Amino acid sequence: MPPDKLKIFNRLQVLRAERALSRQDLADALGVNVQTIGYLERGDYNPSLELAFKLSEYFGLPIEVIFSTKPLRPLSE
């Protein structure tokens, strides 16, 4: 990752697992390529603002619960 690129952390993999969704299920629901979900989960790709809002609406959670510029603590804490 280039040094000037902001690292965005996310809980997508956990949220998918809690809902028994595959990457393909989530990609289909959002209208994106399945590879996009993988890139997001691995932190290889930062979401666009539009995609962040779509994910927020899909999961019914505020964006800041899904994404952060700092490593996220488990939701159980």
Side-chain angles (χ1 to χ4, degrees):
M1 178 179 314
D4 60 337
K5 186 173 182 194
L6 179 65
K7 172 82 171 159
I8 302 290
F9 298 89
N10 69 74
R11 290 190 168 104
L12 292 177
Q13 191 169 9
V14 170
L15 293 170
R16 261 194 328 97
E18 287 177 349
R19 291 158 176 81
L21 294 168
S22 69
R23 285 181 177 167
Q24 187 66 62
D25 293 335
L26 184 55
D28 291 345
L30 298 173
V32 299
N33 189 297
V34 68
Q35 290 177 320
T36 300
I37 303 302
Y39 292 146
L40 286 170
E41 288 182 355
R42 288 190 302 275
D44 294 341
Y45 170 76
N46 289 342
S48 66
L49 188 55
E50 178 183 358
L51 184 53
F53 272 103
K54 282 183 178 181
L55 285 158
S56 173
E57 290 172 14
Y58 181 82
F59 287 114
L61 296 168
I63 290 174
E64 61 271 15
V65 171
I66 303 171
F67 298 100
S68 177
T69 57
K70 297 179 181 137
L72 292 156
R73 295 175 13 182
L75 288 170
S76 60
E77 287 185 11

